[in-house]
Amino acid sequence: MGKETTIYDIAKELKLSPATVSRALNDHPAITLKTKSLITTKAKELGYRSNKFASNLRRQKTNTIGVIVPRLNSYLMSTVLAGMEKVANEAGYNLIISQSLESQKKEIVNARTMFDGRVDALLVSVAYDTDSYEHFEAFINKKIPLVFFDRVIEQFDCTSIVIDNVKGGYEATRHLIDEGCRRIMHVTGSLKRNVYADRLRGYRLALAENGIAFEEDWLVVTDLSPEAGRKMAKKIQQLRPGFDGLFVANDSCAVSCMGALKQAGISVPGDLAVVGFNDDPLAEVIEPQLTTVHYPGKEMGEIAMQTLINHLNGSLNMHPADLIVLRSELIVRQSSRKSQAQGTL
Amino acid sequence: MGKETTIYDIAKELKLSPATVSRALNDHPAITLKTKSLITTKAKELGYRSNKFASNLRRQKTNTIGVIVPRLNSYLMSTVLAGMEKVANEAGYNLIISQSLESQKKEIVNARTMFDGRVDALLVSVAYDTDSYEHFEAFINKKIPLVFFDRVIEQFDCTSIVIDNVKGGYEATRHLIDEGCRRIMHVTGSLKRNVYADRLRGYRLALAENGIAFEEDWLVVTDLSPEAGRKMAKKIQQLRPGFDGLFVANDSCAVSCMGALKQAGISVPGDLAVVGFNDDPLAEVIEPQLTTVHYPGKEMGEIAMQTLINHLNGSLNMHPADLIVLRSELIVRQSSRKSQAQGTL
């Protein structure tokens, strides 16, 4: 990489004083438009980069907002980011995104990169295994707005945006019970994370309300990958006739499980009724189509970003520990309609 | 946001000279380990951020690599990014990612953010509508390594990493012809982009080699979205019996088109044989499973990043205008097996 261009280089080339160049680049009223134009053209030509550190001391703004997500290869996360981009663009902010790949270690590096990059604000959905939160303290101390979404934590007085995961888990399980299921397996992710812990609470609540005794081996904690779905299918096969219902905490895992069950000759929903979570496009492509909980990802992204931008613009003071809860909705499709498939209720 | 902590603040708190603080933070040998530890602890406590501008003049490194992609909501892009992350992490680099949302205007802002953020290198897959490339010149001038992948341009002497899209398009079309198709529609994206222009070349080559006269209305340029796929299904329906083969330049558009065709009672592959591109997981979920061209996304990401890092580490000098071409492969599944479906060849 070449040497960094400074205002001295620009000054030298144009035979002007460094002070004039500095003022022009900072849009100082004492400099004529003509001179400003001359200087900015030369600055561009020489590849001058504004000294963010110095200019931050004055403006404190980079118009860049950082987002840390667990993984980018999920439909849900891409819809959340689409919502964030939409609102950020309209407000003149640019997003930079990094993924923790579900690792706390990487999340710490990401947070540091965002902090050193002087983002105006940070949005985070935490990794599977994160269990200390010191890497976010620098933002709190520096009063850089910090918002958590989807996978949130309670350690700081930050605004959090979530869906009602207890309700989502409850409705999914209650629906399976209504369809005649009595032995319902629940496949989920790390219970350190609110989204999975709360869906489990909803599941257990629905069982309890309907007089079904939960058994420890009904609950399986996985990484919710498609591979985990295929493994689950094998387990279900071996236990046959063990379970008559299956509630999986995301669709990509549920769909791969269904695919493997079908190949093994197990009928969905006849032998096993299945409900997923998120409402990925996959859910409508598989046959039978997958019953799932619709997750308003784009809306979550829009609201998270709007809340943040209102705060940055001073039009809204985020109240410490604000919690915004969005509506989710059970979408009933064929994969769970056991009562129809068997003609018995 | 609070006031930026400077070395003067740290010096004042510790009753040391600013010069000592500066030297300690730069790991100068003249400062004792004890004093260094005292100063770095205080720096952390006060939320001190290293002045990247100044330290760049010395080290010229931020250990951050920027990636600009058209959209994050594609399986292909998420596999490419997974490959990039893997290699970058192993080498101690962190990625920041931004999306152009297929717009040149946003791509320009993204490039500026990456440049001002002082990334050590930049990887780009260009937007649909990008047709001027001045926003990358600053990187070239500053000798910041720039690598294009998947959607590449020829304006600069940069390393580019692609698959052989002509071959991919040729094999997809040739296969449809072998299955008995004679009127083959091709649905693709912006022909400004190498990936779509080259797949079209392959398609036309296969037609020409097999004595099939191409007609202008066989080619449809869309945004390759699922919505475009549903629209295509309507068009195909109206023209029935018009086409007997369909080659779509990505799987998500092909799958949504197939779904709509099935609903309209058109049999795939009996009435219409379909081939997609990319080998998304969707292709194996739909029934009949979709024939497609496997795209080695993870490998592309790994190789792009490894090439860049070798260059940054000085172990490899990228030759101007290097082009790395990865192997793609036709995966034949049921959606294109017209010869079997009809019992005729």
Side-chain angles (χ1 to χ4, degrees):
Chain A
M1 272 167 278
K3 193 174 159 293
E4 195 69 38
T5 301
T6 67
I7 57 168
Y8 301 97
D9 301 325
I10 302 167
K12 202 174 158 192
E13 288 261 338
L14 294 173
K15 297 190 172 58
L16 291 169
S17 77
T20 303
V21 172
S22 170
R23 283 177 168 188
L25 292 174
N26 288 306
D27 209 21
H28 194 285
I31 312 295
T32 66
L33 278 179
K34 201 180 150 197
T35 308
K36 273 180 195 164
S37 159
L38 189 73
I39 290 170
T40 52
T41 305
K42 181 57 77 179
K44 203 174 163 193
E45 186 192 319
L46 297 177
Y48 172 75
R49 302 194 273 199
S50 73
N51 183 341
K52 276 194 186 176
F53 180 70
S55 71
N56 268 6
L57 286 173
R58 290 185 297 273
R59 299 191 301 123
Q60 300 278 23
K61 277 197 85 173
T62 58
N63 274 53
T64 301
I65 292 174
V67 189
I68 301 176
V69 300
R71 288 192 179 277
L72 289 167
N73 64 349
S74 101
Y75 173 78
L76 171 61
M77 212 40 86
S78 75
T79 58
V80 171
L81 286 166
M84 289 180 177
E85 288 274 12
K86 182 171 172 280
V87 174
N89 288 343
E90 286 165 6
Y93 286 88
N94 201 29
L95 294 195
I96 54 174
I97 301 156
S98 66
Q99 45 182 350
S100 64
L101 299 176
E102 302 288 11
S103 140
Q104 167 167 280
K105 201 177 145 199
K106 190 157 189 326
E107 190 176 272
I108 292 170
V109 177
N110 291 342
R112 190 77 216 174
T113 301
M114 295 295 182
F115 187 74
D116 286 342
R118 292 177 168 68
V119 292
D120 288 343
L122 184 67
L123 293 139
V124 182
S125 180
V126 296
Y128 251 42
D129 73 348
T130 300
D131 51 15
S132 81
Y133 304 96
E134 290 160 26
H135 47 302
F136 299 122
E137 277 173 9
F139 295 87
I140 306 280
N141 295 340
K142 192 66 77 186
K143 296 197 172 47
I144 297 167
L146 180 59
V147 165
F148 292 92
F149 63 95
D150 185 45
R151 299 198 195 157
V152 305
I153 58 172
E154 293 182 354
Q155 272 69 10
F156 305 117
D157 281 347
C158 289
T159 300
S160 290
I161 313 207
V162 292
I163 58 166
D164 188 338
N165 288 289
V166 177
K167 178 169 162 281
Y170 176 85
E171 287 180 352
T173 311
R174 172 67 197 268
H175 167 68
L176 286 169
I177 296 168
D178 287 348
E179 288 289 327
C181 299
R182 286 298 171 267
R183 291 179 59 82
I184 301 169
M185 182 187 242
H186 179 37
V187 177
T188 191
S190 168
L191 297 176
K192 283 183 190 172
R193 296 283 74 88
N194 62 302
V195 289
Y196 306 119
D198 284 353
R199 287 169 204 175
L200 172 60
R201 282 195 193 100
Y203 159 84
R204 297 210 46 174
L205 183 62
L207 294 183
E209 277 191 8
N210 289 274
I212 299 174
F214 168 74
E215 296 174 28
E216 285 302 331
D217 63 355
W218 293 10
L219 172 67
V220 188
V221 174
T222 71
D223 63 1
L224 287 174
S225 64
E227 293 70 44
R230 282 185 284 272
K231 266 190 205 162
M232 275 309 106
K234 273 204 184 140
K235 190 166 174 177
I236 289 166
Q237 227 177 307
Q238 286 159 0
L239 293 174
R240 238 184 124 191
F243 293 98
D244 51 13
L246 173 65
F247 166 39
V248 186
N250 82 15
D251 285 346
S252 58
C253 183
V255 162
S256 75
C257 184
M258 267 173 69
L261 288 171
K262 276 161 61 183
Q263 282 190 335
I266 295 177
S267 151
V268 174
D271 296 329
L272 188 82
V274 182
V275 178
F277 210 102
N278 285 351
D279 200 13
D280 276 13
L282 273 174
E284 282 194 279
V285 172
I286 195 162
E287 292 180 19
Q289 293 189 335
L290 180 64
T291 294
T292 186
V293 177
H294 178 73
Y295 193 116
K298 191 161 186 233
E299 191 188 347
M300 175 173 284
E302 287 175 359
I303 290 176
M305 189 57 78
Q306 195 58 59
T307 306
L308 204 56
I309 286 173
N310 289 345
H311 181 72
L312 286 170
N313 293 344
S315 65
L316 173 78
N317 256 319
M318 280 191 282
H319 200 269
D322 266 349
L323 180 70
I324 300 175
V325 182
L326 305 183
R327 223 179 290 265
S328 62
E329 192 190 353
L330 184 73
I331 310 285
V332 178
R333 300 199 182 103
Q334 282 303 322
S335 72
S336 60
R337 290 202 167 133
K338 198 178 177 60
S339 58
Q340 292 178 3
Q342 299 193 317
T344 62
L345 186 64
Chain B
M1 274 168 278
K3 191 172 160 294
E4 195 70 38
T5 301
T6 67
I7 55 166
Y8 301 97
D9 301 324
I10 301 167
K12 202 173 158 193
E13 288 261 339
L14 294 173
K15 297 193 172 51
L16 292 169
S17 77
T20 304
V21 172
S22 170
R23 285 177 166 190
L25 293 173
N26 289 306
D27 208 19
H28 194 285
I31 311 294
T32 65
L33 278 178
K34 200 181 150 195
T35 308
K36 272 180 196 165
S37 158
L38 189 74
I39 289 169
T40 52
T41 305
K42 180 60 73 181
K44 204 176 163 194
E45 186 192 317
L46 296 177
Y48 172 74
R49 302 194 274 198
S50 73
N51 182 339
K52 276 194 188 177
F53 179 70
S55 72
N56 268 4
L57 286 172
R58 288 186 298 274
R59 299 190 303 121
Q60 300 279 20
K61 278 198 84 172
T62 58
N63 275 53
T64 302
I65 292 174
V67 189
I68 301 176
V69 300
R71 284 190 183 279
L72 288 168
N73 65 348
S74 100
Y75 173 77
L76 171 61
M77 212 40 88
S78 75
T79 59
V80 172
L81 286 167
M84 289 179 177
E85 289 274 12
K86 182 171 171 280
V87 174
N89 288 343
E90 286 165 6
Y93 286 88
N94 201 28
L95 296 194
I96 54 174
I97 302 157
S98 65
Q99 46 182 350
S100 63
L101 299 176
E102 302 289 10
S103 140
Q104 167 167 280
K105 201 176 148 202
K106 190 157 189 324
E107 191 176 271
I108 292 170
V109 176
N110 291 343
R112 189 79 217 172
T113 300
M114 296 294 181
F115 186 74
D116 287 342
R118 293 178 167 69
V119 291
D120 289 342
L122 184 67
L123 293 139
V124 183
S125 180
V126 296
Y128 251 42
D129 72 348
T130 300
D131 51 14
S132 81
Y133 304 97
E134 289 160 27
H135 47 302
F136 299 121
E137 277 172 9
F139 294 87
I140 306 280
N141 296 341
K142 191 65 77 184
K143 296 195 170 46
I144 297 167
L146 180 60
V147 165
F148 291 93
F149 63 96
D150 185 47
R151 299 199 195 156
V152 304
I153 58 172
E154 295 182 353
Q155 272 67 11
F156 305 115
D157 281 346
C158 289
T159 301
S160 289
I161 312 207
V162 292
I163 57 164
D164 187 339
N165 288 289
V166 177
K167 179 169 162 282
Y170 175 85
E171 287 180 351
T173 312
R174 171 68 197 269
H175 167 69
L176 286 170
I177 295 168
D178 287 348
E179 288 289 327
C181 300
R182 289 296 171 268
R183 292 180 58 82
I184 301 168
M185 181 186 243
H186 180 36
V187 176
T188 192
S190 166
L191 297 175
K192 284 183 189 172
R193 296 284 74 87
N194 62 303
V195 290
Y196 306 119
D198 284 354
R199 288 170 203 175
L200 172 59
R201 282 193 194 101
Y203 159 85
R204 298 212 42 176
L205 182 63
L207 294 182
E209 277 191 8
N210 289 276
I212 299 174
F214 169 74
E215 295 173 28
E216 286 302 330
D217 63 354
W218 292 12
L219 172 67
V220 188
V221 174
T222 70
D223 63 1
L224 287 174
S225 64
E227 293 69 47
R230 283 185 282 272
K231 266 191 206 161
M232 274 310 105
K234 273 202 185 142
K235 190 165 173 180
I236 289 164
Q237 227 176 308
Q238 286 158 1
L239 294 172
R240 241 184 121 190
F243 293 99
D244 51 14
L246 172 65
F247 167 38
V248 185
N250 81 16
D251 285 345
S252 59
C253 182
V255 162
S256 76
C257 182
M258 268 174 67
L261 288 171
K262 277 161 60 184
Q263 282 190 335
I266 295 177
S267 151
V268 175
D271 296 329
L272 187 82
V274 182
V275 178
F277 211 103
N278 286 350
D279 199 14
D280 276 12
L282 271 174
E284 283 195 276
V285 172
I286 194 162
E287 292 179 22
Q289 292 189 335
L290 179 64
T291 294
T292 185
V293 178
H294 178 72
Y295 193 116
K298 190 158 185 233
E299 191 188 348
M300 175 172 284
E302 287 175 358
I303 291 176
M305 188 56 77
Q306 195 58 60
T307 307
L308 203 56
I309 286 174
N310 289 345
H311 181 72
L312 285 171
N313 292 344
S315 65
L316 174 81
N317 255 320
M318 278 192 283
H319 200 270
D322 266 349
L323 181 70
I324 300 174
V325 183
L326 305 183
R327 225 180 288 267
S328 62
E329 192 190 352
L330 184 73
I331 308 285
V332 177
R333 299 199 183 103
Q334 283 303 321
S335 73
S336 61
R337 292 203 167 131
K338 198 179 176 64
S339 58
Q340 293 179 3
Q342 297 193 319
T344 62
L345 186 66

